[in-house]
Amino acid sequence: MGVFIAYTIALLCTTIFVVQKGDRVAKLSIAGIWVGFCSAEWASLSIRSDDDFMMVIASVETLSLLYKIGMVHLSDRRWPIIVAGLHFNVVCSHISFIISPSYLTKTLYAASTVWAVPVLLVITLGVYADNRWDTLSQGRK
């Protein structure tokens, strides 16, 4: 429960920063992360079968990756590519969990969520760098 609360606080703080400082792609990206987060939590709380849980989570993560790839195409910045790359690792880990003949679903799911924190960090630093670059660029004109 502590990890859930810590991640929720980090996501909320990132959301506040992105809403205040981010461009359209950053706001769409953080909205997509919220949808994925809520979907994964719903699955975690309501699905009891390990096999069903892994398939639903893998589906959520794959859809989230496709969404993040869409954000890459909408943006002229570099940070969405890094976010999509980090999320690609999550999808690959879920595929390996499904293929693996024996696994501890909840433990492996928790281990795969370690990629979620760098995603928030990259979004925050990317939006900060974007704003800094835009401010410096406007000063030169």
Side-chain angles (χ1 to χ4, degrees), residues 11 31 37 95 100:
L11 181 56
F37 173 70
I95 290 169
S100 175

Side-chain angles (χ1 to χ4, degrees), residues 24-35:
R24 182 175 66 97
V25 171
K27 291 173 184 172
L28 287 171
S29 294
I30 205 72
I33 290 172
W34 272 105
V35 169

Side-chain angles (χ1 to χ4, degrees), residues 56-120:
V56 168
I57 292 297
S59 299
V60 167
E61 297 296 358
T62 301
L63 289 173
S64 183
L65 174 62
L66 293 173
Y67 184 82
K68 287 176 173 107
I69 291 170
M71 294 299 102
V72 168
H73 291 289
L74 290 177
S75 180
D76 60 351
R77 308 296 181 157
R78 292 186 181 124
W79 64 264
I81 297 169
I82 298 168
V83 168
L86 290 170
H87 200 81
F88 179 72
N89 291 322
V90 173
V91 172
C92 288
S93 68
H94 283 289
I95 290 169
S96 70
F97 300 157
I98 291 170
I99 293 171
S100 175
S102 64
Y103 52 82
L104 301 171
T105 306
K106 302 287 182 181
T107 304
L108 293 175
Y109 173 65
S112 74
T113 59
V114 73
W115 292 104
V117 174
V119 164
L120 296 181

